[in-house]
Amino acid sequence: MTATARPALDVAAIRREFPILATEARGRPLVYLDSAATSQKPRSVVEALSDFYLTSNSNVHRSVHHLAERATTAFESARARVARFVGAPAPECVVWTRGTTEALNLVANAWGSRNVGPGDAILLTEMEHHANLVPWQMLAKRTGARLRFVPVTDDGRLDLEAAHARLAERPKVFAFTAKSNVLGTENPVAGLCRAARAAGTVTVVDGAQALPHGPVDVTALGCDFFAFSGHKALGPMGVGALVCRREMYDAMDPWQGGGEMIRRVRLEESTYAEAPIRFEAGTPAAADAVALAAALDFLERCDPAAVHAHEVRLTAIAMEALRPLGVRILGPEDPADRAGIVTFDVPGLHPHDVATLLDGRGIAVRAGHHCAQPLMKRFGVVATTRASFYLYNTEDEAAALADGVRAAVEYFRR
Ligand code: PLP
């Protein structure tokens, strides 16, 4: 996922597809720099969602009537769309979930409960989102496994030497983020998966921040599981997926029971459907899945590699303008290694005050611990301000961020 010289995105044309970006916030033109929390949605995604409900609404995989067939076809085509987008060999590799959090909980339960036992090591990193920490803590508590961590260096990268040393201890599983939601750091996923495979360690990649921002190919990455959320990638909230290497299904037990995931149910016991349906109990978010496919169509038309290059440019502009203001930017120095995410601390100012002053200028950023409290602790802060860019942001908006922070610094200095 590196930046390459490519034709620039037509940002003005892209922005026309996002009506919300033409609105105002606090009487000023909206500058939306919070896409790492959730992205805005293009017209085609909203239309796909409403179109499903207006023309195809029916439960999926259940009835034989015309609408049910239409809905099921659209839903299963969306699964195939996800598989193609992430380079999975077959639609069956995609399990629908509510998002990354549910996908990671699914692995920790369906695979973890069967394969992790007392004394086994679960390897994580210090830069994980709570969604890739808490499910493993719960698994460790249930099974008596030990948690181990790859440390983060001062410049916000994984300590790769330590990662390889920990992998040499042959942990059962290594769960790590492809891209930090705080530091923006893009981790060397393929190399880490290769080392894990050599150690007999199963890999779980948190792709929540990676998939929206660059091309993803799970086959080339060589991971066993890859989790992501639709809503950070132009899609609706409430849908995402766990992409599984097919062989992993043989080592997983169902984790939620109910309708759909069964083959035969008796009063005392049941047998289960084949994967991926085995892991999809209950009525799925069918309309959202279909709209997610529309989001991936949109992203692909924009060329994920061009999106990445655009974000590197905006990140560079923001970092260059912020540095002279005396702010501390967490994470790698090189914008190419952290596309789209600029998290910073303004000494003497509370991040919520910074965010509130920016909001007064119509600029939306996130302030807080970003669901990464251990990482905040690692860098000796309780909270930070995070600006995150996406394909629809402009160079002017990156500059507006720095102007806003400069004004905040001057306001509080007075
Ligand atoms: N992992 C990372 C790196 C994230 O940034 C997020 C959300 O911010 C998540 C996991 C959780 O995603 P969701 O809340 O969509 O399940």
Side-chain angles (χ1 to χ4, degrees):
M1 291 180 219
T2 51
T4 46
R6 313 185 65 89
L9 288 184
D10 185 349
V11 178
I14 288 173
R15 286 178 72 84
R16 283 197 289 278
E17 300 303 317
F18 293 80
I20 202 168
L21 297 177
T23 61
E24 293 194 338
R26 315 272 181 219
R28 308 278 286 268
L30 171 68
V31 176
Y32 188 75
L33 303 183
D34 198 17
S35 295
T38 198
S39 70
Q40 295 301 342
K41 324 299 173 198
R43 223 183 283 274
S44 58
V45 168
V46 180
E47 284 169 2
L49 196 57
S50 66
D51 187 59
F52 180 92
Y53 284 120
L54 294 175
T55 69
S56 309
N57 183 50
S58 178
N59 212 326
V60 296
H61 294 158
R62 282 159 172 80
S63 311
V64 294
H65 59 75
H66 169 72
L67 274 185
E69 213 169 86
R70 247 178 105 92
T72 302
T73 302
F75 178 63
E76 288 304 326
S77 304
R79 191 192 303 272
R81 184 71 190 89
V82 169
R84 274 203 315 282
F85 191 84
V86 301
E92 292 72 41
C93 298
V94 175
V95 180
W96 292 114
T97 65
R98 285 189 296 132
T100 308
T101 303
E102 190 175 61
L104 294 168
N105 276 277
L106 197 168
V107 185
N109 282 274
W111 177 85
S113 298
R114 162 116 67 109
N115 295 282
V116 175
D120 285 340
I122 298 170
L123 184 59
L124 309 170
T125 87
E126 276 183 348
M127 67 166 70
E128 299 310 312
H129 186 282
H130 297 166
N132 203 24
L133 285 175
V134 182
W136 302 109
Q137 293 169 354
M138 292 162 80
L139 176 67
K141 206 162 192 177
R142 273 202 313 278
T143 59
R146 296 167 298 134
L147 296 172
R148 306 275 278 144
F149 299 92
V150 177
V152 170
T153 61
D154 289 342
D155 68 344
R157 297 171 195 273
L158 286 184
D159 179 337
L160 292 179
E161 211 171 295
H164 287 282
R166 301 266 192 281
L167 283 171
E169 295 164 7
R170 307 173 71 83
K172 273 277 165 166
V173 56
F174 181 24
F176 63 100
T177 191
K179 179 178 170 86
S180 163
N181 61 311
V182 175
L183 308 166
T185 316
E186 292 170 13
N187 290 322
V189 178
L192 289 169
C193 288
R194 216 170 17 252
R197 175 75 47 93
T201 299
V202 162
T203 45
V204 182
V205 176
D206 174 349
Q209 296 293 342
L211 177 127
H213 300 285
V216 167
D217 182 338
V218 292
T219 306
L221 292 176
C223 55
D224 294 307
F225 297 103
F226 183 93
F228 76 93
S229 302
H231 70 96
K232 294 180 195 289
L234 308 181
M237 292 183 182
V239 70
L242 178 70
V243 184
C244 306
R245 201 161 60 76
R246 233 182 318 199
E247 293 72 16
M248 300 312 294
Y249 288 143
D250 297 335
M252 293 162 73
D253 288 325
W255 76 305
Q256 291 179 339
E260 186 70 8
M261 51 75 73
I262 49 81
R263 178 168 293 146
R264 173 177 294 187
V265 177
R266 299 259 166 82
L267 279 177
E268 304 289 348
E269 61 178 2
S270 303
T271 56
Y272 307 115
E274 292 296 317
I277 306 296
R278 173 184 290 223
F279 302 105
E280 296 177 357
T283 298
D288 303 281
V290 171
L292 172 56
L296 300 182
D297 286 344
F298 190 101
L299 269 181
E300 205 154 85
R301 280 198 300 277
C302 293
D303 179 358
V307 170
H308 187 269
H310 175 67
E311 291 168 355
V312 170
R313 205 158 36 249
L314 299 189
T315 305
I317 291 169
M319 287 175 74
E320 205 165 299
L322 284 173
R323 276 204 193 97
L325 306 179
V327 307
R328 175 187 175 207
I329 300 174
L330 303 187
E333 286 273 317
D334 186 345
D337 296 340
R338 52 165 323 140
I341 291 186
V342 183
T343 295
F344 55 96
D345 180 44
V346 187
L349 297 193
H350 195 285
H352 285 141
D353 292 334
V354 176
T356 302
L357 277 165
L358 289 173
D359 179 53
R361 294 172 156 242
I363 302 172
V365 294
R366 176 157 177 201
H369 54 61
H370 315 293
C371 298
Q373 288 180 6
L375 188 59
M376 294 290 108
K377 187 158 180 274
R378 161 68 183 81
F379 284 99
V381 289
V382 175
T384 52
T385 309
R386 179 184 71 189
S388 49
F389 302 104
Y390 208 4
L391 72 177
Y392 39 62
N393 290 120
T394 65
E395 297 187 2
D396 285 349
E397 289 180 323
L401 168 74
D403 289 345
V405 174
R406 187 178 304 108
V409 170
E410 283 165 8
Y411 178 86
F412 281 105
R413 209 171 271 152
R414 269 189 270 122

